[in-house]
Amino acid sequence: MLLAEHSFFLAAAGRILHAAVYLIAGGTCAWWWLRREAPVAAATTPTLELPPPVANNTFDQHKAEALLAQLHELTTDVAHGVGEHSTHVAAISRELTVMSASSDTAAAAPVVQAIASLLAANTRLEEQLAHASSKMQEQAHELEVQLADALTDPLTGIPNRRAFDREMSRRLPEFRRMGTPLSLVMIDVDFFKKFNDTHGHQAGDEVLRCVARVLKETVRDMDLPARFGGEEFAAILPTARIDVAKQVAERIRIAIENARIEFQGVELRVTASIGVAEICTADDKDSLVQRADQGLYAAKKGGRNCGYYHDERQCLPIVAGQGAIASAKPSGEAEDEAGTNEFFRELERLMKRLKSSPQPASALLIAMVGPGAGADAEWQRTAHLSTLTGIREHAAECMVATLKPFCYGVILNDKDANGAVATADSIHSQLALLGLAGPNKPLTASFGVAEHRPGDDAASLLARAEESLRSSLAAGGDQIYFHTDQTTRPMMADLQIAR
């Protein structure tokens, strides 16, 4: 009996000693890892710190993510070992307790005492290792938080440029391996510098937060919205082909235009220009961004508050007609003068009215071209205001808008093509009297007319007016070209413009 009890005690001692060695080794590894990856503030308090910044002050998120993964693996292994060991220790402790209480053999006392000492030491080791494991989990969480902060723009709360680059690096291989579609949307807040100068940088910050919020709420759940830099934002659209990307981009544009920004009791509004591109076989990250940027630049040239997409060859408007004429306003423009956005919105309202109450309506576009347009700023201002006067003289009660320097739009909501051509002719005569347009004058005046037809919306009507204007410009100017319900191509007006 005594021999059996001694054998049992020795076996139990062996298991506990083995577990203790395991715990000591695990604790030593954990301590070494923490000492290796994170200098300690005090000898008994290990802490984990982020790697020091490299010379160019960039954060290596890949290294940080690898460190985080290793730390999680180590923590998991140690926690598993602690749990398994605790189970064995608890079972052996119960058996030893029962046997110690029932044993009356004096020879067993030294073994029981040794086992008790081992248990006490092992308990201390277990507590220390559990503390180390808990500390490592806390530090892993802290690293996760710091990594998330490194990938988040602090002002807007959405992913930053690093997160954008990381997502692109993940999505591009998917396209290479499986042909998974990928599109990119670039967004730039219109006239942001001027907005900052007018309302202050705090208002500008509020605008950026608003745009980021709108962007996050508008894109799909699978998309990644990001602040690309300054007032420029981006959205990565996985699985999206160009048609879907164009729809998303237009939703973003409309949402930003309709957003109301409350700042110090004042309601502020902004618009945005948008560029879109779908990845193609020849693209890498930089070329895809470049093509989307080309669309963005085309949108700025096309009037802002609009979107263009790059089809691998050229940039085209997302919405036909909208933004096809630039709205850059000449210096010194009157405060109450309408621009492209107002012109297009008024045209949209007119199209809605005509659906329920058909009546004649036309759009008239006028372009003043020639050496005089390149003269000094004062001459340009004077010529611009004189041109507006000449147009309004014969377009009373009509909306007249400056679409870009020396390019104007007129909405004739009670005139068919014949009436619009007659108005154009009268305007040209007035400009000639003012000494602005005609032979031997500083400028030539080109006119494009489109008559409303059933099924038209603002974009299609304006697109046909633009086609007529381009035909007039191609003919050398001082011409009127028009579109009607019956014409598929622009026609030159029979009426001779006064010379």
Side-chain angles (χ1 to χ4, degrees):
M1 176 66 180
L2 182 61
L3 182 60
E5 289 182 355
H6 274 273
S7 298
F8 172 79
F9 290 149
L10 290 173
R15 292 189 65 183
I16 293 177
L17 285 172
H18 177 75
V21 169
Y22 171 82
L23 280 174
I24 293 169
T28 302
C29 288
W31 175 83
W32 173 82
W33 179 266
L34 291 171
R35 290 284 297 181
R36 173 177 176 270
E37 292 296 338
V40 294
T44 58
T45 309
T47 60
L48 183 66
E49 296 178 355
L50 289 173
V54 295
N56 61 357
N57 293 323
T58 59
F59 182 84
D60 189 345
Q61 67 262 25
H62 297 295
K63 182 177 179 180
E65 288 168 353
L67 176 61
L68 179 61
Q70 293 172 5
L71 187 58
H72 276 159
E73 183 178 356
L74 176 64
T75 302
T76 302
D77 289 345
V78 171
H80 176 73
V82 169
E84 184 178 357
H85 172 67
S86 297
T87 302
H88 289 311
V89 169
I92 293 173
S93 295
R94 286 194 298 271
E95 292 184 39
L96 286 174
T97 300
V98 172
M99 296 186 70
S100 294
S102 61
S103 176
D104 55 359
T105 305
V111 176
V112 172
Q113 184 177 1
I115 295 300
S117 299
L118 284 173
L119 285 174
N122 192 66
T123 299
R124 289 193 297 271
L125 284 173
E126 187 176 354
E127 290 173 352
Q128 292 173 4
L129 188 55
H131 175 73
S133 176
S134 174
K135 193 68 176 178
M136 282 193 295
Q137 289 175 344
E138 291 177 7
Q139 291 167 346
H141 175 70
E142 181 181 351
L143 183 57
E144 282 182 333
V145 171
Q146 293 188 35
L147 182 59
D149 288 344
L151 298 174
T152 301
D153 177 59
L155 176 64
T156 62
I158 66 173
N160 60 12
R161 176 65 181 273
R162 293 191 188 99
F164 172 88
D165 290 339
R166 178 188 182 203
E167 181 71 0
M168 287 291 284
S169 298
R170 187 168 74 91
R171 294 295 179 180
L172 284 171
E174 289 182 358
F175 171 73
R176 302 284 182 220
R177 291 194 310 269
M178 299 176 289
T180 306
L182 177 68
S183 291
L184 176 64
V185 179
M186 301 296 293
I187 306 108
D188 191 85
V189 180
D190 294 331
F191 301 112
F192 186 70
K193 183 179 184 303
K194 181 179 179 182
F195 185 95
N196 262 350
D197 293 342
T198 302
H199 300 284
H201 290 283
Q202 288 185 336
D205 289 348
E206 190 61 35
V207 165
L208 295 178
R209 281 190 285 265
C210 176
V211 171
R213 185 168 58 251
V214 167
L215 182 60
K216 185 176 180 180
E217 293 171 353
T218 305
V219 299
R220 307 169 304 171
D221 291 341
M222 70 178 71
D223 301 332
L224 178 83
R227 185 181 179 193
F228 198 74
E231 67 271 22
E232 192 171 5
F233 295 81
I236 300 174
L237 312 182
T239 75
R241 296 201 176 276
I242 191 64
D243 289 342
V244 173
K246 285 157 61 178
Q247 294 173 9
V248 173
E250 182 63 8
R251 285 203 307 269
I252 293 171
R253 185 195 67 78
I254 293 172
I256 292 174
E257 181 183 19
N258 292 335
R260 302 294 185 269
I261 305 158
E262 297 290 338
F263 181 75
Q264 295 182 352
V266 178
E267 185 179 87
L268 305 173
R269 297 176 62 182
V270 294
T271 60
S273 300
I274 297 181
V276 182
E278 180 186 354
I279 194 169
C280 64
T281 305
D283 274 330
D284 56 18
K285 184 192 75 174
D286 292 337
S287 62
L288 178 60
V289 171
Q290 184 180 33
R291 290 201 297 116
D293 262 339
Q294 288 175 8
L296 179 59
Y297 180 71
K300 287 184 173 296
K301 288 184 64 178
R304 294 182 168 84
N305 192 24
C306 63
Y308 274 66
Y309 69 98
H310 195 283
D311 69 349
E312 300 183 40
R313 297 182 303 277
Q314 60 182 333
C315 294
L316 300 169
I318 291 175
V319 178
Q322 183 177 5
I325 300 175
S327 64
K329 297 183 177 181
S331 59
E333 180 183 347
E335 289 297 323
D336 61 347
E337 189 175 315
T340 298
N341 298 335
E342 294 85 352
F343 181 80
F344 193 83
R345 281 194 288 268
E346 181 59 30
L347 204 55
E348 285 182 319
R349 287 191 285 268
L350 175 61
M351 295 301 101
K352 291 178 181 178
R353 291 198 301 271
L354 294 180
K355 288 181 180 179
S356 59
S357 178
Q359 66 181 54
S362 298
L364 168 62
L365 300 179
I366 307 164
M368 307 289 284
V369 181
D376 62 77
E378 186 57 33
W379 186 93
Q380 288 190 40
R381 170 177 166 75
T382 302
H384 163 67
L385 296 176
S386 297
T387 300
L388 279 174
T389 300
I391 295 172
R392 287 170 174 161
E393 185 75 21
H394 297 277
E397 299 182 1
C398 296
M399 181 175 189
V400 179
T402 301
L403 306 180
K404 70 173 183 178
F406 294 100
C407 187
Y408 310 90
V410 183
I411 297 176
L412 304 168
N413 56 14
D414 60 349
K415 296 184 184 296
D416 59 12
N418 289 332
V421 168
T423 298
D425 183 65
S426 298
I427 291 172
H428 186 276
S429 297
Q430 184 67 31
L431 296 177
L433 290 174
L434 293 172
L436 291 173
N440 303 318
K441 295 295 190 296
L443 303 170
T444 59
S446 299
F447 298 82
V449 172
E451 179 184 0
H452 170 263
R453 63 186 182 189
D456 262 340
D457 57 15
S460 61
L461 178 61
L462 186 56
R464 289 189 294 114
E466 287 184 64
E467 187 179 5
S468 298
L469 180 59
R470 285 194 294 270
S471 296
S472 179
L473 290 167
D478 284 329
Q479 302 286 346
I480 300 174
Y481 276 72
F482 65 96
H483 250 298
T484 69
D485 190 12
Q486 291 77 35
T487 58
T488 57
R489 299 181 62 184
M491 297 177 58
M492 187 170 67
D494 294 333
L495 186 62
Q496 188 70 27
I497 288 182
R499 296 290 182 179

